[in-house]
């Protein structure tokens, strides 16, 4: 059995910055409310012509460059996204072709909303551990701005667009140590996008393709659930809180992140935070944060990282990674 070791990371943010002050012109909100209740100051939004696949391609190329890896040698690509370019082909199939991976390699998307990257990482780790792949690209990429109701202040202030990518390679040296995935489909009404093929033609006209969220209820469940997944991850690896060097959380709300850090008794200096500049980029947020902290030198080889996410589904999960 091989470890899946991170050998490269990359990310991409669209050029357009939308500040809280910009949003004050759209909905009844204030920079102060958004910063105090969420920790978000600004977010990036794609241009008219840009798609989720475009963002993923750039992030993937950056990660491959850091790993010094020829795309023709990558045998698996998985993209976590809830904003794919099309119903099919998957965004992963399109990116496989555009970055020059060999035809016949494995490519598919994973739908787990904000937990999409953790779910994709879990699957790629299993492929590598069992010899099904040797070099994998795991990507989280989202264009959340395309599924926002820009008249709903409860959701439009929260989300942003972006992509993050990780190259995993089979290695004898430790990499991904454990992953933990969960889902509970019984709370659909708290967080969902009503638009879908199952709506039929009438449904498509009746219900918009935008996020509906009962934020406060989601918030409470997220805090409780993430506390549990921290315990589960530490127990599964016979570790204590002091063993964790970095928390790399999904960036949904600074108050959720702080609650998880408190649970770990980890000072906020050991928590990678990008929410202020990125907002909630759903499946992209963890690989984006990881890339930022690796490139600025905070995360170093040998550090022990706890990655965790909670999102629509509900889905939630974690990964313990020796970088
Ligand atoms: N500006 C000003 N006021 C606002 C805004 C806004 N942008 N949004 C809501 N309010 C108001 C509400 O209308 C409410 O007013 P009222 O008391 O007069 O009714 C008041 O602020 C409090 O609203 P709450 O919803 O209780 O505010 P809360 O402190 O819970 O913050 C938030 C809302 C930021 C959405 C928070 O609940 C949250 O972060 N939830 C979790 C989101 C999350 O983690 N989602 C999962 C991932 S997303 C995915 O998977 C796609």
């Amino acid at each position: 059995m091989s470890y899946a070791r991170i050998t490269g990371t990359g990310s991409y943010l669209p050029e357009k910055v939308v500040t809280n002050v910009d949003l004050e012109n759209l909905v009844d909100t204030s920079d102060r409310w958004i910063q105090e209740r969420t920790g978000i100051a600004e977010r990036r939004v794609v241009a008219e012509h840009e798609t989720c696949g475009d963002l993923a391609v750039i992030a993937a190329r950056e990660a491959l460059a850091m790993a010094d890896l020829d795309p023709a040698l990558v045998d698996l690509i998985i993209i976590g996204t809830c904003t794919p370019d099309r119903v099919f082909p998957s965004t992963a199939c399109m990116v496989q072709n555009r970055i020059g991976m060999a035809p016949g390699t494995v490519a598919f998307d994973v739908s787990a909303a904000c937990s999409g990257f953790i779910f994709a990482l879990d699957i790629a780790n299993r492929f590598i551990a069992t010899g099904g792949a040797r070099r994998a690209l795991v990507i989280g990429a989202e264009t959340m701005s395309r599924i926002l109701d820009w008249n709903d202040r409860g959701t439009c202030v929260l989300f942003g667009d972006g992509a993050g990518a990780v190259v995993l390679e089979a290695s004898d040296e430790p990499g991904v140590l454990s992953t933990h995935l969960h889902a509970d489909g019984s709370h659909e009404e708290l967080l969902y996008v009503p638009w879908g093929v199952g709506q039929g033609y009438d449904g498509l006209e009746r219900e918009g393709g935008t996020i509906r969220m009962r934020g406060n209820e989601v918030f409470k469940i997220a805090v409780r659930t993430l506390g549990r997944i921290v315990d589960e991850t530490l127990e599964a690896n016979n570790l204590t809180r002091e063993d964790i060097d970095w928390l790399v959380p999904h960036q949904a709300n600074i108050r959720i992140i702080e609650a998880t850090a408190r649970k770990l008794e980890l000072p906020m200096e050991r928590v990678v935070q990008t929410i202020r500049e990125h907002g909630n980029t759903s499946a992209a947020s963890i690989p984006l944060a990881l890339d930022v902290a690796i490139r600025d030198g905070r995360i170093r080889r040998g550090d022990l990282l706890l990655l965790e996410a909670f999102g629509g589904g509900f889905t939630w999960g974690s990964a313990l990674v020796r970088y």
Side-chain angles (χ1 to χ4, degrees):
M1 298 269 276
S2 296
Y3 284 110
R5 191 160 181 270
I6 296 177
T7 57
T9 59
S11 62
Y12 178 70
L13 290 164
E15 264 172 44
K16 185 177 175 192
V17 177
V18 175
T19 65
N20 291 346
V21 176
D22 294 331
L23 293 177
E24 286 177 0
N25 298 319
L26 285 182
V27 286
D28 180 15
T29 191
S30 67
D31 175 42
R32 186 162 166 207
W33 189 95
I34 302 171
Q35 294 224 31
E36 278 180 8
R37 304 308 293 165
T38 73
I40 300 167
E42 59 185 48
R43 72 286 294 143
R44 300 296 183 97
V45 168
V46 280
E48 194 78 26
H49 65 273
E50 270 177 321
T51 69
C52 175
D54 295 333
L55 312 187
V57 163
I58 301 172
R61 287 192 176 128
E62 271 205 5
L64 289 167
M66 188 194 280
D68 194 18
L69 181 63
D70 182 343
L73 298 176
V74 176
D75 42 19
L76 168 69
I77 176 168
I78 311 176
I79 300 187
T81 185
C82 60
T83 52
D85 291 15
R86 300 183 191 281
V87 172
F88 65 82
S90 67
T91 307
C93 280
M94 294 194 271
V95 175
Q96 177 219 44
N97 180 45
R98 284 175 60 188
I99 64 174
M101 283 173 62
T105 50
V106 182
F108 57 94
D109 290 355
V110 167
S111 169
C114 295
S115 310
F117 176 78
I118 296 288
F119 275 56
L121 186 72
D122 170 280
I123 299 165
N125 181 46
R126 290 173 198 272
F127 263 86
I128 288 177
T130 55
R134 291 201 57 80
R135 298 176 198 88
L137 261 169
V138 183
I139 300 174
E142 301 280 18
T143 49
M144 299 304 282
S145 62
R146 297 255 162 81
I147 57 166
L148 288 178
D149 175 353
W150 291 97
N151 297 309
D152 174 18
R153 67 176 183 176
T155 52
C156 77
V157 304
L158 301 175
F159 295 93
D161 301 334
V166 162
V167 173
L168 293 177
E169 295 191 58
S171 170
D172 296 333
E173 286 182 64
V176 178
L177 300 177
S178 76
T179 49
H180 308 266
L181 303 187
H182 298 280
D184 177 356
S186 67
H187 296 289
E188 185 182 340
E189 77 287 358
L190 298 185
L191 177 55
Y192 66 110
V193 177
W195 184 88
V197 178
Q199 300 291 320
Y201 291 111
D202 288 353
L204 290 179
E205 279 163 27
R206 208 173 44 242
E207 304 221 64
T210 54
I211 296 176
R212 314 289 156 91
M213 179 167 74
R214 296 201 331 233
N216 192 265
E217 288 163 78
V218 176
F219 183 94
K220 288 179 198 149
I221 297 173
V223 169
R224 239 188 358 254
T225 307
L226 290 170
R228 283 207 311 271
I229 199 104
V230 164
D231 287 337
E232 180 186 335
T233 313
L234 293 177
E235 276 166 28
N237 292 278
N238 279 319
L239 294 174
T240 60
R241 299 163 187 177
E242 301 80 63
D243 296 312
I244 303 297
D245 294 308
W246 291 99
L247 175 65
V248 189
H250 169 52
Q251 315 276 322
N253 186 314
I254 191 66
R255 293 180 291 136
I256 298 177
I257 295 173
E258 284 166 353
T260 312
R262 270 197 302 278
K263 171 91 191 169
L264 277 165
E265 292 177 12
L266 207 60
M268 287 306 279
E269 299 80 59
R270 307 301 285 178
V271 179
V272 182
Q273 301 168 59
T274 53
I275 184 145
R276 194 183 150 72
E277 300 82 25
H278 300 178
N280 179 350
T281 56
S282 186
S285 87
I286 292 176
L288 263 165
L290 196 58
D291 187 48
V292 167
I294 286 172
R295 283 179 191 269
D296 70 20
R298 273 179 289 168
I299 293 179
R300 292 162 183 228
R301 281 283 167 210
D303 283 354
L304 192 61
L305 321 178
L306 177 59
L307 283 43
E308 48 82 349
F310 180 90
F314 289 139
T315 55
W316 63 100
S318 67
L320 190 76
V321 178
R322 179 73 66 189
Y323 177 61

